[in-house]
Amino acid sequence: MFLFITIMFFIFRLMPGNPIGLILEQYNLTPEAAQRLIHLWGLDKPVWQQYLIYIKNLLKGDMGISYVYNAPVSSVIFSRKLLNTLALLISAHGMALLIGMILGVWAAWRRGTPIDIGTLVTALVLYTIPVFWLGLMLLMMFAVHVHWFPLSGTITPARSYKDILQYIGDYLWHLTLPMISITLIRLGGDFLIMRNTMINVVREDYITTAIAKGLPEKIVVWKHAARNALLPIVTMAGLDMAFVVSGAVLTETVFGWDGIGKLTYEAAINRDYPVLQGLFFILVVVVLLANFLTDLMYAYLDPRVRY
Amino acid sequence: MPRKEVLRIEKLKTHYYTLGGIVKAVDGVDLRVYKGELVALVGESGCGKSTLAFSIMGMVPPPGRIVSGKIYLSDINLVELSDEELRKIRWSKVSMVFQGAMNSLNPVMKVGDQIIEAMLYHDVISRPEEGRSTVKHLFELVGLDPNRIDSYPHELSGGMKQRVVIAMAMALNPDLIIADEPTTALDVTTQAKIMEVLKDVQKKTGVSILLITHDLPLVAEVSDRVYIMYAGKIVETGDVFTIFKSPRHPYTQGLIGAVPSIRGPKKKLVALPGEPPDLRFPPPGCRFHPRCSKAMDICGKKEPPRIEFGPDDFVSCWLFAKEGERK
Ligand SMILES: Nc1ncnc2c1ncn2[C@@H]1O[C@H](COP(=O)(O)OP(=O)(O)OP(=O)(O)O)[C@@H](O)[C@H]1O
Ligand SMILES: [Mg+2]
């Protein structure tokens, strides 16, 4: 963890480009004002001193000041942006997992039928499509061609709402396209994992026994087979966190979704190191948390690993 | 003494339609099991024993299917039933202990629940709790601690799992249990114990058992009647004394001869010389003739007739046909 923070700190300092230069251009600051900013942010000190200060502050829970927003990094990250991202990721991944699992179970049970093969080919295609391409395609079709969905943003700008329901409706309307694009991208992978595991589970003796017991087909498939096939996909969902984030960066940027992904992209463009560091720090925490949750889920699903 | 028929199979053919050809795994089998009997089905690996068992359960895996014949389970022809009717018959009239029964238990479900489930979906009980006392009785029947009802399979030893599987097979009081090599995965002492359990359950409940096995000494010890299967066909049947004391078919003689003595130390079946045939292209005439030391001209040309010595007592071999017929 500590090592990770250190490496991160220096990698960002080594990136080409100078934050002050970019800000100077943007705001037309006088040289004196710029000098004051540089001093305020500690950028005139040697790098190793900056590093020590950074570590000291981090231990205090202070992640520094954003160069671009001129506000504490924590308040930049823990804001509506985080909520927006959570709304997008949880809905999209939940959807992808759910649909991928149901289709995967069902296709494996009907293995080799035209329906199974059709689904399989579709999944492979989805699996290989780049996320930004799919996003742009969806935008072209549903926002530019027919105006069913908005082009970008999380809500319609400068609109007044009658009540909270109308607000939520507008939010969901904006959410639809980015959510669908992440769902579709993830769906292929989730489906393939689930189908693969199911195909192996279905060959197990306890499935033959379940059929012999005269259980209804639905019970055999869902209660016996699917339950046992859940384990690998849960593991994958936990391990895939890094991929989830990269998907979020691209999708949020394409759809102008004001979330953490877009923030990451902008921070990288603007060389806003403190924000980037904060983001990666949180990413590490999230990955660790996800692994912990995966272990918990595993223990819940598989009595053999309960302690 | 008129004996009640539990299972009657007539001219059953079950084939696998593979890309490489049609595997005639069961090819015209007749077999009968009466109430309270333990009938053994014996034959080399790959002769179609499991396929026969799956046919009775109505669950032959694709690309296999029952081609023709009849399977009567107390006067109902299973071959004609719809999927839903079959589902209701399974386990309630005929249950099965599978080959490699160690893995027959779902690893993520409590063993008690796996038994209760069978009762639930056959409408024997309407709520899971109602089944618990029955399961405890079943556990006692097979010599398991009733407190094991809430154990997971991984918490039990191989022998205990096997007992659970037998208890499960008895859950709905079926007329017949098919036991497909029920003890192969166990060590020798446990094997003997499990067979005792099976015999004991039979004595107490009167259930009929069709035991599929390679283990001839075991067959001699526990069974009432024996069917000898070779390459998809029944070549000989009779009561256990006939089969072991005076086997008639050269194949049976070969099998028995390979075992030193019935009471002697248990020994793995010594393979007869030669290989069982490829069931896609079985040899013409008698399927055993290429390996038979007593083969005659006719054996490779015409299928042998069935020579009956009494009810459920026959051999399919040219050696026993009348002189005039051997042309
Ligand atoms: N799913 C299948 N597809 C194609 N052929 C099969 C299939 N299952 C079994 N067979 C073939 O059918 C024949 C009979 O198989 P079966 O499993 O019934 O034999 P068995 O007597 O039970 O053997 P064992 O003693 O090894 O269990 C074998 O030749 C086997 O290769
Ligand atoms: Mg078998």
Side-chain angles (χ1 to χ4, degrees), chain A residues 62-97:
Chain A
D62 176 2
M63 292 189 282
I65 308 264
S66 161
Y67 299 158
V68 172
Y69 291 85
N70 198 9
V73 168
S74 48
S75 72
V76 172
I77 294 176
F78 296 104
S79 59
R80 286 237 0 195
K81 291 181 193 299
L82 186 63
L83 289 182
N84 287 338
T85 294
L86 286 179
L88 174 62
L89 289 185
I90 291 174
S91 60
H93 284 262
M95 198 81 134
L97 267 175

Short mmCIF file of all heavy atoms in Angstrom, two decimals, chain A residues 62-97:
data_model
loop_
_atom_site.label_atom_id
_atom_site.label_comp_id
_atom_site.label_asym_id
_atom_site.label_seq_id
_atom_site.Cartn_x
_atom_site.Cartn_y
_atom_site.Cartn_z
N ASP A 62 -5.47 14.23 4.72
CA ASP A 62 -5.51 15.37 3.80
C ASP A 62 -4.81 14.98 2.51
O ASP A 62 -3.63 14.63 2.51
CB ASP A 62 -4.80 16.56 4.47
CG ASP A 62 -4.70 17.75 3.54
OD1 ASP A 62 -5.22 17.65 2.40
OD2 ASP A 62 -4.11 18.76 3.95
N MET A 63 -5.53 14.99 1.41
CA MET A 63 -4.95 14.53 0.17
C MET A 63 -4.43 15.67 -0.69
O MET A 63 -4.09 15.51 -1.84
CB MET A 63 -5.97 13.69 -0.60
CG MET A 63 -6.27 12.39 0.12
SD MET A 63 -7.25 11.25 -0.83
CE MET A 63 -8.85 11.93 -0.64
N GLY A 64 -4.42 16.88 -0.14
CA GLY A 64 -3.87 18.01 -0.88
C GLY A 64 -4.96 18.85 -1.53
O GLY A 64 -6.16 18.62 -1.34
N ILE A 65 -4.51 19.83 -2.31
CA ILE A 65 -5.42 20.78 -2.95
C ILE A 65 -5.38 20.54 -4.45
O ILE A 65 -4.31 20.36 -5.04
CB ILE A 65 -4.94 22.24 -2.68
CG1 ILE A 65 -4.73 22.48 -1.18
CG2 ILE A 65 -5.91 23.23 -3.31
CD1 ILE A 65 -5.87 23.10 -0.46
N SER A 66 -6.55 20.50 -5.06
CA SER A 66 -6.59 20.33 -6.51
C SER A 66 -6.08 21.58 -7.20
O SER A 66 -6.47 22.69 -6.85
CB SER A 66 -8.03 20.06 -6.95
OG SER A 66 -8.16 20.33 -8.32
N TYR A 67 -5.20 21.42 -8.17
CA TYR A 67 -4.69 22.57 -8.91
C TYR A 67 -5.79 23.22 -9.72
O TYR A 67 -5.84 24.42 -9.88
CB TYR A 67 -3.58 22.13 -9.88
CG TYR A 67 -2.38 21.50 -9.21
CD1 TYR A 67 -1.54 20.66 -9.94
CD2 TYR A 67 -2.08 21.76 -7.88
CE1 TYR A 67 -0.43 20.09 -9.36
CE2 TYR A 67 -0.97 21.18 -7.29
CZ TYR A 67 -0.15 20.34 -8.02
OH TYR A 67 0.93 19.78 -7.45
N VAL A 68 -6.68 22.39 -10.26
CA VAL A 68 -7.70 22.91 -11.18
C VAL A 68 -8.89 23.47 -10.42
O VAL A 68 -9.36 24.57 -10.69
CB VAL A 68 -8.16 21.81 -12.15
CG1 VAL A 68 -9.35 22.29 -12.97
CG2 VAL A 68 -7.01 21.39 -13.05
N TYR A 69 -9.38 22.73 -9.44
CA TYR A 69 -10.58 23.17 -8.74
C TYR A 69 -10.26 24.10 -7.59
O TYR A 69 -11.14 24.72 -7.01
CB TYR A 69 -11.35 21.96 -8.19
CG TYR A 69 -11.96 21.12 -9.29
CD1 TYR A 69 -11.23 20.15 -9.95
CD2 TYR A 69 -13.29 21.33 -9.67
CE1 TYR A 69 -11.78 19.39 -10.95
CE2 TYR A 69 -13.86 20.57 -10.68
CZ TYR A 69 -13.10 19.60 -11.32
OH TYR A 69 -13.66 18.87 -12.31
N ASN A 70 -8.99 24.16 -7.23
CA ASN A 70 -8.55 24.98 -6.11
C ASN A 70 -9.37 24.68 -4.86
O ASN A 70 -9.84 25.56 -4.17
CB ASN A 70 -8.64 26.47 -6.46
CG ASN A 70 -7.78 27.30 -5.51
OD1 ASN A 70 -7.02 26.72 -4.73
ND2 ASN A 70 -7.93 28.60 -5.56
N ALA A 71 -9.57 23.40 -4.64
CA ALA A 71 -10.34 22.96 -3.47
C ALA A 71 -9.67 21.68 -2.98
O ALA A 71 -8.96 21.03 -3.74
CB ALA A 71 -11.78 22.69 -3.86
N PRO A 72 -9.91 21.30 -1.71
CA PRO A 72 -9.30 20.06 -1.22
C PRO A 72 -9.69 18.88 -2.10
O PRO A 72 -10.84 18.79 -2.55
CB PRO A 72 -9.90 19.90 0.19
CG PRO A 72 -10.37 21.25 0.57
CD PRO A 72 -10.70 21.99 -0.69
N VAL A 73 -8.71 17.99 -2.32
CA VAL A 73 -8.95 16.84 -3.19
C VAL A 73 -10.13 16.01 -2.68
O VAL A 73 -10.97 15.55 -3.45
CB VAL A 73 -7.69 15.96 -3.28
CG1 VAL A 73 -8.00 14.62 -3.92
CG2 VAL A 73 -6.62 16.69 -4.06
N SER A 74 -10.20 15.85 -1.35
CA SER A 74 -11.27 15.00 -0.82
C SER A 74 -12.64 15.55 -1.17
O SER A 74 -13.55 14.81 -1.51
CB SER A 74 -11.12 14.85 0.70
OG SER A 74 -10.93 16.10 1.28
N SER A 75 -12.78 16.89 -1.13
CA SER A 75 -14.10 17.44 -1.45
C SER A 75 -14.37 17.39 -2.95
O SER A 75 -15.51 17.38 -3.38
CB SER A 75 -14.25 18.87 -0.91
OG SER A 75 -13.46 19.75 -1.68
N VAL A 76 -13.29 17.34 -3.75
CA VAL A 76 -13.49 17.19 -5.20
C VAL A 76 -13.99 15.78 -5.51
O VAL A 76 -14.89 15.57 -6.31
CB VAL A 76 -12.19 17.48 -5.97
CG1 VAL A 76 -12.36 17.13 -7.45
CG2 VAL A 76 -11.79 18.93 -5.82
N ILE A 77 -13.36 14.80 -4.83
CA ILE A 77 -13.71 13.40 -5.12
C ILE A 77 -15.01 12.98 -4.44
O ILE A 77 -15.91 12.45 -5.08
CB ILE A 77 -12.56 12.46 -4.68
CG1 ILE A 77 -11.33 12.74 -5.55
CG2 ILE A 77 -12.99 11.01 -4.83
CD1 ILE A 77 -10.11 11.95 -5.15
N PHE A 78 -15.10 13.24 -3.13
CA PHE A 78 -16.32 12.84 -2.43
C PHE A 78 -17.39 13.88 -2.64
O PHE A 78 -17.65 14.72 -1.79
CB PHE A 78 -16.04 12.65 -0.94
CG PHE A 78 -15.09 11.53 -0.67
CD1 PHE A 78 -13.78 11.78 -0.33
CD2 PHE A 78 -15.51 10.21 -0.81
CE1 PHE A 78 -12.90 10.74 -0.11
CE2 PHE A 78 -14.64 9.17 -0.58
CZ PHE A 78 -13.32 9.43 -0.24
N SER A 79 -17.99 13.83 -3.80
CA SER A 79 -18.96 14.86 -4.15
C SER A 79 -20.04 14.18 -4.97
O SER A 79 -20.13 12.96 -5.01
CB SER A 79 -18.27 15.95 -4.98
OG SER A 79 -17.73 15.33 -6.14
N ARG A 80 -20.80 14.97 -5.65
CA ARG A 80 -21.82 14.41 -6.54
C ARG A 80 -21.20 13.49 -7.57
O ARG A 80 -21.82 12.55 -8.04
CB ARG A 80 -22.53 15.56 -7.26
CG ARG A 80 -23.46 16.29 -6.37
CD ARG A 80 -24.85 16.32 -6.88
NE ARG A 80 -25.06 15.64 -8.15
CZ ARG A 80 -26.15 15.84 -8.85
NH1 ARG A 80 -27.03 16.71 -8.44
NH2 ARG A 80 -26.33 15.17 -9.97
N LYS A 81 -19.93 13.81 -7.92
CA LYS A 81 -19.26 13.00 -8.94
C LYS A 81 -19.23 11.53 -8.53
O LYS A 81 -19.50 10.63 -9.32
CB LYS A 81 -17.84 13.48 -9.16
CG LYS A 81 -17.74 14.83 -9.81
CD LYS A 81 -16.29 15.21 -9.98
CE LYS A 81 -16.09 16.68 -10.33
NZ LYS A 81 -16.74 17.07 -11.58
N LEU A 82 -18.90 11.31 -7.26
CA LEU A 82 -18.81 9.93 -6.77
C LEU A 82 -20.19 9.26 -6.83
O LEU A 82 -20.32 8.12 -7.28
CB LEU A 82 -18.27 9.91 -5.34
CG LEU A 82 -18.01 8.52 -4.77
CD1 LEU A 82 -16.94 7.81 -5.58
CD2 LEU A 82 -17.59 8.60 -3.32
N LEU A 83 -21.21 10.02 -6.42
CA LEU A 83 -22.57 9.47 -6.47
C LEU A 83 -22.96 9.13 -7.90
O LEU A 83 -23.53 8.07 -8.18
CB LEU A 83 -23.57 10.46 -5.87
CG LEU A 83 -23.48 10.64 -4.35
CD1 LEU A 83 -24.55 11.61 -3.86
CD2 LEU A 83 -23.64 9.29 -3.64
N ASN A 84 -22.64 10.05 -8.81
CA ASN A 84 -22.98 9.81 -10.22
C ASN A 84 -22.31 8.54 -10.72
O ASN A 84 -22.93 7.73 -11.41
CB ASN A 84 -22.51 10.99 -11.08
CG ASN A 84 -23.40 12.21 -10.88
OD1 ASN A 84 -24.55 12.08 -10.45
ND2 ASN A 84 -22.87 13.39 -11.17
N THR A 85 -21.03 8.39 -10.38
CA THR A 85 -20.31 7.21 -10.84
C THR A 85 -20.88 5.94 -10.23
O THR A 85 -21.07 4.94 -10.93
CB THR A 85 -18.82 7.33 -10.48
OG1 THR A 85 -18.28 8.40 -11.23
CG2 THR A 85 -18.07 6.06 -10.80
N LEU A 86 -21.16 6.00 -8.93
CA LEU A 86 -21.72 4.81 -8.29
C LEU A 86 -23.05 4.43 -8.94
O LEU A 86 -23.30 3.26 -9.24
CB LEU A 86 -21.92 5.07 -6.78
CG LEU A 86 -20.64 5.07 -5.96
CD1 LEU A 86 -20.94 5.35 -4.50
CD2 LEU A 86 -19.92 3.73 -6.11
N ALA A 87 -23.88 5.45 -9.20
CA ALA A 87 -25.17 5.17 -9.84
C ALA A 87 -24.95 4.47 -11.17
O ALA A 87 -25.59 3.46 -11.49
CB ALA A 87 -25.95 6.46 -10.04
N LEU A 88 -24.01 4.97 -11.94
CA LEU A 88 -23.76 4.41 -13.27
C LEU A 88 -23.18 2.99 -13.17
O LEU A 88 -23.69 2.06 -13.80
CB LEU A 88 -22.79 5.32 -14.03
CG LEU A 88 -22.32 4.81 -15.39
CD1 LEU A 88 -23.51 4.66 -16.33
CD2 LEU A 88 -21.30 5.76 -16.00
N LEU A 89 -22.12 2.85 -12.38
CA LEU A 89 -21.44 1.56 -12.33
C LEU A 89 -22.30 0.47 -11.71
O LEU A 89 -22.37 -0.65 -12.22
CB LEU A 89 -20.12 1.67 -11.56
CG LEU A 89 -19.03 2.44 -12.28
CD1 LEU A 89 -17.74 2.40 -11.48
CD2 LEU A 89 -18.80 1.90 -13.68
N ILE A 90 -22.94 0.79 -10.61
CA ILE A 90 -23.73 -0.24 -9.94
C ILE A 90 -24.89 -0.68 -10.81
O ILE A 90 -25.14 -1.88 -10.99
CB ILE A 90 -24.20 0.25 -8.55
CG1 ILE A 90 -23.00 0.38 -7.61
CG2 ILE A 90 -25.21 -0.73 -7.96
CD1 ILE A 90 -23.33 0.97 -6.28
N SER A 91 -25.58 0.29 -11.43
CA SER A 91 -26.72 -0.11 -12.25
C SER A 91 -26.24 -0.92 -13.46
O SER A 91 -26.80 -1.97 -13.78
CB SER A 91 -27.52 1.11 -12.71
OG SER A 91 -26.70 1.96 -13.48
N ALA A 92 -25.16 -0.45 -14.10
CA ALA A 92 -24.70 -1.13 -15.32
C ALA A 92 -24.15 -2.52 -15.02
O ALA A 92 -24.46 -3.49 -15.70
CB ALA A 92 -23.64 -0.28 -16.03
N HIS A 93 -23.34 -2.61 -13.96
CA HIS A 93 -22.74 -3.91 -13.67
C HIS A 93 -23.75 -4.88 -13.09
O HIS A 93 -23.72 -6.07 -13.38
CB HIS A 93 -21.54 -3.75 -12.73
CG HIS A 93 -20.35 -3.23 -13.44
ND1 HIS A 93 -19.35 -4.04 -13.90
CD2 HIS A 93 -20.04 -1.98 -13.83
CE1 HIS A 93 -18.46 -3.29 -14.53
NE2 HIS A 93 -18.85 -2.04 -14.50
N GLY A 94 -24.65 -4.34 -12.29
CA GLY A 94 -25.73 -5.19 -11.76
C GLY A 94 -26.52 -5.78 -12.91
O GLY A 94 -26.77 -6.99 -12.98
N MET A 95 -26.86 -4.91 -13.85
CA MET A 95 -27.63 -5.33 -15.02
C MET A 95 -26.86 -6.38 -15.82
O MET A 95 -27.42 -7.41 -16.20
CB MET A 95 -27.86 -4.09 -15.89
CG MET A 95 -28.95 -4.25 -16.87
SD MET A 95 -30.49 -3.97 -16.05
CE MET A 95 -31.23 -2.90 -17.25
N ALA A 96 -25.58 -6.09 -16.08
CA ALA A 96 -24.77 -7.01 -16.89
C ALA A 96 -24.65 -8.37 -16.21
O ALA A 96 -24.81 -9.42 -16.83
CB ALA A 96 -23.39 -6.41 -17.15
N LEU A 97 -24.39 -8.35 -14.90
CA LEU A 97 -24.26 -9.60 -14.16
C LEU A 97 -25.56 -10.40 -14.23
O LEU A 97 -25.56 -11.59 -14.53
CB LEU A 97 -23.94 -9.31 -12.69
CG LEU A 97 -22.48 -9.27 -12.29
CD1 LEU A 97 -22.36 -8.86 -10.83
CD2 LEU A 97 -21.86 -10.65 -12.49
#
